Amino acid sequence: MKSKARLRRILISSWLLALIPAIIIALILPPLGAKYRLIVGEGDSYQSVYSYEDLNSDGITELISTGKGIPYYFVVIHNNDGKIYDQWNLKDEITSNLSTVFYGNYDNDDYKEIYIFTSRWDSLFLNINEFFDPAGLKVERIFITKIGITDGTPNTNISQVGLYDVNKDGFSEFYFSLLTGFALEPRHVYYFNIISKQLKSSQFTGAIFQYPSFTDADGDNKPEIFGLFHAAGNYNIPSPFTDWSTWMMVYDENLNFEFPPVEFPGLTNNLETYSYKHKGFRGYVVSHNTSSADSSVYEPRIMVFSLKGKKLKENLYSEFGFNTSIFLHVIEGEIDDRLFVFGNEMVELNNDLEIINSKKLPFATGYYASYMVNIDDDGSKEFLLYSDTEKKVFIVNSNLKIIAQSDLQASGAVFHFSHYRSADGVHKVHLANTDFGCLLELKRNNSYYFGYLIYPLVYLLIVLFIKFITGIAVRQVEQRENLKQRLLTVQLQGIKSQLDPHFTFNSLNSIASLIYLEERQAAYDYLNKFTSLLRGMLNDAEKIHRTLGEEIEFVTTYLELEKMRFGDKLEFNIDVDDTVTGEEKVPKLVLHTFAENAIKHGIIPNPDGGKLQITIKKESDYLKITIEDNGIGRVKAAGQSHSTGKGLKLTGEFYDILNQLNKRPITHSITDLYDDSGNSSGTRVEVSVPLS
């Protein structure tokens, strides 16, 4: 028994009861504050394209900017404070689409080279400068090829692919791609041998190849070249691999096709290709998207291809509910890669191209740009999402959780990124396009983990709340029990008042007199009613309420006894309205106490006797009871009676206690009645009992 009682105390203790809601709140309530803060620097003050790079391997980046001087174009190298190391003047034109600054280290020493393309009319030139090495490489105006011109402006775009020592001479070749918009030439991938000044290009195609990637897809320590292809339909002349289709093309390090290109016919097709490995498998994951209204064009889908270009599996994006722009991302792992697709939602896919994790987008609108950037310099990339409509940027980790966000007033959403590093180890990401640039810093919130203190605090607050509520409940129960105890006391006192010795002895004397006078039937009737009254008092001793019918029966028996005792000196009438059923619950003694008081102090002291009128009816949701007599009145009775008025006091206390337990109160009032001459003509008692 003791162990059961102890277990019961443990189970109902505030500490245990608070545990479950505290755990639930802990699961849905993040710590106060964010783990990271995204700090967006002011927009760039340089009226030119620029980026950051560590050119001399000292761990501190330099700022490289380009611009137009008189008469030359220039490349300027600054320190992080904007102070100039030196300026490289170039005779040919630097334009934004041609002249993105590239960096590499072809000779694998401590100094990186700057690679920049310039143009003069339709001629494209390569310029290289190993800036911080006094004896380093510096070459200018290496002719590459003729480029397309539209309205006097070059319509060719250049993308850096990377550097790789293809001929194994210890010096890397510089790989890049050229793409022209409204001309077939040049649309090639190239590499340039810096030592021999030789240029090699891939075979001629009409395909539009954007954003090339330099990746060892097959694990042979040699790079493959692939990326985004687009079917713009900019040229109608028949050509190999027309730009009216998009193509899955993969080049090897010698700029030859790894396998015959795979065609996806239809205008406005886009095809992104990434390397992909999973449990020993190596191949490619390909995302196909289109905005074409042509129903014959492939539906947007994600596919897995072998290294030889054979399609192995696919899944339609419509199965994911995607109907907007779609971004495929691959996070490389040592053994397995992870697949992510951002569309109407952010989702992660398994090897079977099925959703295994999904989160809602942080944007209200469906148009945004998505990138992968190592923004916290921890060796792994995060997702950077930007909405040009809402002017907000979000950083999302690989669990698809938003870790930081900020407003960003950028112009456009096509960015390139570089990394800033200061002498004191501060890392920032430079986000830029042709019209805008700023530094983003993802700072760890050192007070973040203090936010976890909210959990024990919540638990403690719940414990205190439960103790507080329990204390209130206990006090309410105690008050209720005290009220019930008082009710029992009042009931016992009421029974004692009902068994008034004068009434009891007078009743017994009346019965004895009838027996003495040998009026046996009258004595029997008197005794029968008296015992019925006693039985009613004893049976209902523990009741607080009883039905109105029972109360009327009880008070009728009492009045009949008093009528038998006082004869014609007492008249009474009970009038019950037809709307009253008799099943209504009323407090016990609601009629008897006032009826007894009226007879004892109002009617009997009157030499002519009197009449007692009881009227019961419904008014709204109350039962209205009126007890009226035409006796001598309270003022005159007060001078003649030696009564303590205990019955009325008990009734008042009884009602006060009930009103503390009930939602709606019982009310009663006593009114003195007067005739036209101002003489006392009786008393009226009105009691209102809520029917509920």
Side-chain angles (χ1 to χ4, degrees):
M1 291 298 292
K2 289 183 178 180
S3 61
K4 287 184 178 180
R6 188 182 301 110
L7 179 61
R8 190 182 302 111
R9 285 196 299 271
I10 293 172
L11 291 176
I12 64 173
S13 69
S14 301
W15 298 100
L16 186 61
L17 291 175
L19 192 59
I20 295 175
I23 291 173
I24 294 173
I25 291 174
L27 292 175
I28 61 176
L29 180 68
L32 292 179
K35 192 173 183 178
Y36 296 94
R37 292 185 296 121
L38 183 62
I39 301 172
V40 178
E42 295 183 3
D44 297 334
S45 59
Y46 299 92
Q47 300 300 314
S48 59
V49 176
Y50 75 95
S51 57
Y52 290 89
E53 189 71 25
D54 181 7
L55 297 175
N56 56 3
S57 302
D58 64 352
I60 304 170
T61 54
E62 285 72 46
L63 170 65
I64 298 90
S65 66
T66 64
K68 173 70 169 70
I70 300 175
Y72 299 114
Y73 292 85
F74 58 80
V75 178
V76 179
I77 295 87
H78 315 251
N79 66 12
N80 284 334
D81 296 325
K83 295 180 180 180
I84 297 174
Y85 285 115
D86 203 350
Q87 178 171 307
W88 180 21
N89 294 316
L90 296 168
K91 295 179 180 180
D92 301 313
E93 183 177 359
I94 294 177
T95 57
S96 59
N97 57 328
L98 285 177
S99 305
T100 300
V101 179
F102 305 124
Y103 308 97
N105 192 355
Y106 87 105
D107 52 0
N108 301 306
D109 61 3
D110 291 332
Y111 304 102
K112 288 185 178 180
E113 306 86 41
I114 297 173
Y115 299 78
I116 187 167
F117 290 89
T118 56
S119 63
R120 182 174 293 274
W121 189 236
D122 63 349
S123 295
L124 181 70
F125 302 97
L126 174 62
N127 307 270
I128 308 173
N129 191 340
E130 196 170 7
F131 187 83
F132 277 99
D133 185 357
L137 177 68
K138 182 176 182 181
V139 294
E140 298 179 1
R141 303 198 83 234
I142 301 171
F143 176 76
I144 299 298
T145 186
K146 295 289 186 179
I147 59 174
I149 300 293
T150 301
D151 294 332
T153 301
N155 63 9
T156 299
N157 290 294
I158 302 178
S159 296
Q160 179 182 10
V161 179
L163 283 94
Y164 175 71
D165 185 5
V166 66
N167 57 10
K168 307 303 179 184
D169 64 352
F171 297 95
S172 297
E173 281 67 43
F174 175 55
Y175 286 73
F176 59 95
S177 70
L178 297 183
L179 167 64
T180 189
F182 292 93
L184 279 177
E185 288 286 0
R187 295 184 181 183
H188 297 271
V189 181
Y190 301 83
Y191 70 71
F192 179 71
N193 188 311
I194 298 172
I195 301 299
S196 66
K197 306 296 188 294
Q198 296 296 311
L199 181 71
K200 181 177 179 179
S201 73
S202 63
Q203 73 176 75
F204 166 72
T205 76
I208 297 179
F209 185 15
Q210 299 174 298
Y211 313 123
S213 172
F214 212 32
T215 306
D216 180 12
D218 54 9
D220 64 354
N221 296 317
K222 298 177 183 179
E224 283 73 44
I225 302 168
F226 46 85
L228 171 67
F229 283 82
H230 176 58
N234 287 344
Y235 214 81
N236 290 324
I237 295 176
S239 59
F241 315 115
T242 172
D243 67 359
W244 287 77
S245 294
T246 192
W247 302 85
M248 180 186 172
M249 291 183 177
V250 178
Y251 296 93
D252 64 15
E253 74 279 9
N254 294 306
L255 306 183
N256 300 315
F257 289 132
E258 287 276 332
F259 51 81
V262 181
E263 183 178 11
F264 292 81
L267 194 62
T268 74
N269 282 345
N270 286 314
L271 199 74
E272 292 180 271
T273 302
Y274 294 85
S275 66
Y276 177 61
K277 61 182 181 293
H278 181 79
K279 296 188 183 303
F281 167 81
R282 283 181 176 270
Y284 301 96
V285 60
V286 178
S287 176
H288 170 262
N289 197 10
T290 182
S291 58
S292 175
D294 186 353
S295 59
S296 65
V297 174
Y298 264 33
E299 282 191 65
R301 65 194 64 201
I302 183 171
M303 298 162 281
V304 174
F305 282 77
S306 71
L307 292 171
K308 295 302 181 181
K310 181 181 178 181
K311 184 167 66 175
L312 303 177
K313 62 184 72 173
E314 66 179 356
N315 202 352
L316 297 178
Y317 283 133
S318 58
E319 295 294 323
F320 306 153
F322 288 178
N323 55 17
T324 61
S325 298
I326 296 167
F327 304 93
L328 172 64
H329 297 293
V330 179
I331 294 182
E332 296 183 12
E334 291 185 7
I335 300 175
D336 295 334
D337 297 336
R338 297 172 66 186
L339 301 178
F340 296 85
V341 181
F342 289 7
N344 295 35
E345 292 183 317
M346 304 181 291
V347 304
E348 181 179 0
L349 306 180
N350 62 14
N351 186 53
D352 294 320
L353 307 181
E354 299 168 336
I355 294 176
I356 57 174
N357 187 18
S358 67
K359 294 291 176 62
K360 291 182 178 180
L361 286 171
F363 304 114
T365 57
Y367 300 98
Y368 63 98
S370 174
Y371 299 92
M372 286 181 62
V373 185
N374 182 12
I375 196 164
D376 57 358
D377 202 28
D378 64 350
S380 61
K381 293 182 178 181
E382 289 75 38
F383 302 108
L384 184 148
L385 280 61
Y386 176 69
S387 170
D388 192 36
T389 303
E390 300 180 27
K391 301 297 182 185
K392 286 186 177 295
V393 60
F394 290 85
I395 308 300
V396 179
N397 66 14
S398 60
N399 294 320
L400 301 182
K401 180 181 178 181
I402 296 171
I403 59 174
Q405 60 179 292
S406 181
D407 294 333
L408 179 62
Q409 300 295 324
S411 56
V414 178
F415 303 125
H416 62 265
F417 300 90
S418 60
H419 294 268
Y420 161 98
R421 288 180 174 84
S422 67
D424 54 359
V426 174
H427 169 263
K428 300 179 183 180
V429 170
H430 184 251
L431 172 151
N433 56 29
T434 56
D435 301 313
F436 176 83
C438 72
L439 288 168
L440 306 178
E441 183 179 7
L442 190 65
K443 294 191 69 173
R444 185 179 292 272
N445 183 1
N446 293 327
S447 61
Y448 166 76
Y449 290 101
F450 287 104
Y452 284 100
L453 294 175
I454 190 67
Y455 299 133
L457 180 60
V458 166
Y459 175 62
L460 182 60
L461 288 175
I462 293 175
V463 169
L464 294 176
F465 178 74
I466 291 175
K467 286 184 175 293
F468 176 71
I469 295 299
T470 304
I472 292 176
V474 168
R475 284 193 294 274
Q476 288 178 338
V477 170
E478 289 176 347
Q479 291 174 356
R480 218 166 177 78
E481 290 303 315
N482 289 336
L483 289 173
K484 288 181 179 180
Q485 191 63 41
R486 286 177 59 197
L487 269 176
L488 290 174
T489 302
V490 171
Q491 283 180 282
L492 291 173
Q493 291 174 338
I495 292 171
K496 288 175 65 178
S497 70
Q498 285 178 298
L499 293 172
D500 177 36
H502 292 289
F503 169 74
T504 302
F505 292 143
N506 288 334
S507 296
L508 292 174
N509 285 335
S510 297
I511 293 169
S513 297
L514 291 172
I515 293 172
Y516 180 77
L517 296 173
E518 297 185 351
E519 295 185 19
R520 295 178 180 176
Q521 185 60 43
Y524 175 79
D525 291 341
Y526 206 134
L527 182 61
N528 192 38
K529 290 183 182 297
F530 182 69
T531 56
S532 176
L533 188 71
L534 291 178
R535 188 183 306 111
M537 285 190 290
L538 295 175
N539 286 343
D540 295 340
E542 295 182 356
K543 289 184 179 180
I544 297 173
H545 295 83
R546 57 187 171 192
T547 66
L548 178 63
E550 291 171 337
E551 181 71 14
I552 291 173
E553 182 181 356
F554 181 86
V555 80
T556 300
T557 301
Y558 167 74
L559 292 174
E560 288 176 346
L561 283 172
E562 293 291 68
K563 172 68 176 173
M564 294 175 73
R565 177 182 168 195
F566 294 112
D568 294 338
K569 196 172 183 180
L570 172 64
E571 298 292 334
F572 71 88
N573 181 55
I574 301 176
D575 186 11
V576 181
D577 191 77
D578 293 339
T579 59
V580 178
T581 65
E583 296 300 319
E584 295 83 1
K585 293 290 184 180
V586 296
K588 194 173 63 175
L589 308 178
V590 71
L591 294 175
H592 173 266
T593 302
F594 295 113
E596 180 188 40
N597 200 63
I599 293 170
K600 185 186 297 186
H601 302 294
I603 295 174
I604 299 307
N606 189 357
D608 299 326
K611 181 178 180 180
L612 180 69
Q613 175 66 40
I614 298 176
T615 305
I616 304 171
K617 59 183 179 179
K618 285 184 180 179
E619 286 188 359
S620 185
D621 53 352
Y622 276 83
L623 194 66
K624 186 169 183 180
I625 302 171
T626 305
I627 302 105
E628 185 175 323
D629 68 81
N630 59 355
I632 62 175
R634 287 193 300 168
V635 175
K636 197 170 183 179
Q640 298 181 10
S641 175
H642 299 288
S643 172
T644 61
K646 186 177 182 180
L648 289 178
K649 290 180 181 178
L650 287 173
T651 300
E653 185 177 357
F654 185 57
Y655 288 170
D656 288 342
I657 297 172
L658 285 178
N659 288 342
Q660 293 181 56
L661 296 171
N662 296 336
K663 292 182 179 179
R664 292 188 297 161
I666 300 169
T667 60
H668 75 283
S669 62
I670 303 176
T671 305
D672 296 312
L673 304 176
Y674 298 92
D675 58 19
D676 295 338
S677 302
N679 298 318
S680 178
S681 61
T683 306
R684 179 188 300 125
V685 178
E686 293 178 316
V687 183
S688 293
V689 180
L691 288 173
S692 60

